[in-house]
Amino acid sequence: MIRAGAVVLGTLGTLGALVSAPGVMLAQTFEGIITMRLNATGRGAATQGQAAMPQQMEYQVRGGKVRVTLGGGMAGGMAMLAVPQEQKLYMLMVAQQSYMEMPMVPPQAAAAASTDDVKVTRTGRKEVVAGLTCEHVLLTPAKGEGTDMCLTTALGRYMDPMQGMRRGPAPAWQKQIADGFPLKVSLPDGSVAMEVIKVEKKRLANDLFSVPANYTKIAAPGGRPPG
């Protein structure tokens, strides 16, 4: 959902804020690495007068599988895997050589239009980001200002590795932008929350999208046993 001055683009938590498309079984024609710059912007971005440093995130995709890793201070420390073929999500803690396993929960049917308070406006304005052309789409909540997303169809759909953990109906507005991948997200104050800075089309190793054999399974959040 979207509220004034902010956009909830998935729930990747410390892995950053990106848009979530409805559904997890997504056909991906692109294979490679997409590098994103995440900026802590808007209210709450600064702590004690010091601006938060931007971070980089790598989004790797092959055959519908997705691996998301955060750069900067946590480089190599944690990764999230989404494996639709297994209907599983994996969070890897590299330093501890451990992982959590969670089942994917397919999102329910889209919410009725009467309860969907976000208006999607395709502006027709285009921009080139990281060598790819994208179209600016304005997402405006019923109350508040809109968030601008520049979407491309060259990379297939964006798949949020955390989408499968969500319950409840997916907002209907998400279906209207499900064919796009966000290259740039700008907040109402003009600040850029996320921007793709590099796109590398390349073959990726299979083992990037599986849990290493020497990793130990630990309990999922909330004390529940792993799925």
Side-chain angles (χ1 to χ4, degrees), residues 143-226:
K143 298 180 180 179
E145 301 175 274
T147 296
D148 183 287
M149 298 178 59
C150 202
L151 302 175
T152 183
T153 57
L155 300 176
R157 293 180 177 182
Y158 170 77
M159 184 171 124
D160 179 0
M162 300 298 286
Q163 176 71 37
M165 296 179 65
R166 300 193 184 97
R167 289 169 173 79
W173 65 266
Q174 288 187 355
K175 281 193 171 183
Q176 298 182 57
I177 60 171
D179 61 344
F181 192 106
L183 295 183
K184 187 176 181 180
V185 177
S186 301
L187 301 182
D189 63 3
S191 59
V192 177
M194 185 281 287
E195 184 172 7
V196 171
I197 58 176
K198 186 193 300 184
V199 176
E200 302 173 84
K201 188 174 183 180
K202 59 189 295 185
R203 294 284 293 176
L204 299 177
N206 281 325
D207 58 8
L208 286 173
F209 304 93
S210 60
V211 179
N214 63 331
Y215 275 37
T216 301
K217 182 187 291 187
I218 62 176
R224 295 180 291 106

Side-chain angles (χ1 to χ4, degrees), residues 9 17 30 57 92 104 124 143 189 194 213 224 227:
L9 303 162
F30 172 82
M57 185 177 77
L92 310 182
M104 280 186 170
K143 298 180 180 179
D189 63 3
M194 185 281 287
R224 295 180 291 106

